[in-house]
Amino acid sequence: TLLLAPPIFILSLLPPKIDTAALVLPINETLPLLSKTLSQLRGDDDRLVHPDRYDAAVTYQPLLCDAELRTALSVIASAATNVDNDEKNALRAQEIACQVVTFCTVENPRNRAALWRYDEDGDVVHRGLLNIVKNAVADDDACGGGTDDRDKRWYAGGAAAETVWISSFNSPENHA
């Protein structure tokens, strides 16, 4: 006989909605924090795509992701409305934030669901990711940074594309 958990129990396993107003940090504070988190999660994992967790991520994911996932999501969510990236280091922060989200969500359905539960509409993170990807392929003049920012846009867009990919894995939130 198969016993099913009551729906209320299953919903209690999902991460709560995040208070986004309390999470906005200046880029100059966010970037070093996320860079350190990424370094610990990545370890010596230099793969281009991360379909599964590597040794360091297995060790550090439970320790770092509860707090730092929220910070990374706030950086990505800010890209949903701020597409001109005029703040110094914004593109690098977006790239690092996307990588942190990827390392925190690989083989972790609870953290993947956090992408959908970040805001009331459930899609500001994904709009931010799509803006980062669109910015990567935009005309240099349309982005305001010219060719100087092209590589930064490409790196951020590549990291965002992997985050879009990992966020599409099956979970109750993806099919609500």
Side-chain angles (χ1 to χ4, degrees):
T1 315
L2 177 65
L3 297 174
L4 296 175
I8 292 174
F9 173 75
I10 293 171
L11 289 175
S12 69
L13 295 176
L14 295 174
K17 296 271 188 198
I18 298 170
D19 178 12
T20 58
L23 296 174
V24 178
L25 293 173
I27 294 296
N28 63 346
E29 293 178 30
T30 305
L31 188 54
L33 176 70
L34 290 177
S35 294
K36 182 177 178 181
T37 300
L38 178 61
S39 177
Q40 290 175 305
L41 287 168
R42 179 183 296 278
D44 61 353
D45 183 356
D46 58 358
R47 297 176 295 172
L48 183 60
V49 178
H50 306 89
D52 55 11
R53 291 187 298 181
Y54 206 64
D55 297 339
V58 170
T59 302
Y60 288 110
Q61 196 181 60
L63 303 171
L64 297 173
C65 291
D66 281 347
E68 302 317 324
L69 180 60
R70 290 175 177 88
T71 303
L73 291 175
S74 71
V75 170
I76 295 168
S78 71
T81 56
N82 181 20
V83 293
D84 61 355
N85 299 308
D86 56 356
E87 190 169 350
K88 186 175 187 213
N89 296 321
L91 291 168
R92 180 71 176 146
Q94 291 169 4
E95 175 193 349
I96 299 296
C98 289
Q99 291 180 39
V100 167
V101 170
T102 295
F103 277 100
C104 286
T105 56
V106 168
E107 294 184 16
N108 193 320
R110 182 177 188 272
N111 285 348
R112 269 197 309 275
L115 275 73
W116 294 100
R117 298 183 61 79
Y118 182 80
D119 68 316
E120 284 300 312
D121 298 330
D123 69 347
V124 72
V125 170
H126 291 90
R127 286 193 324 251
L129 289 168
L130 293 177
N131 279 345
I132 295 168
V133 171
K134 287 190 297 187
N135 193 26
V137 296
D139 180 43
D140 291 334
D141 295 329
C143 293
T147 56
D148 295 341
D149 285 341
R150 181 184 302 143
D151 287 347
K152 293 176 187 175
R153 292 194 329 262
W154 288 350
Y155 285 126
E162 184 177 20
T163 306
V164 169
W165 170 75
I166 195 67
S167 74
S168 67
F169 277 49
N170 191 15
S171 79
E173 293 295 311
N174 289 359
H175 301 283

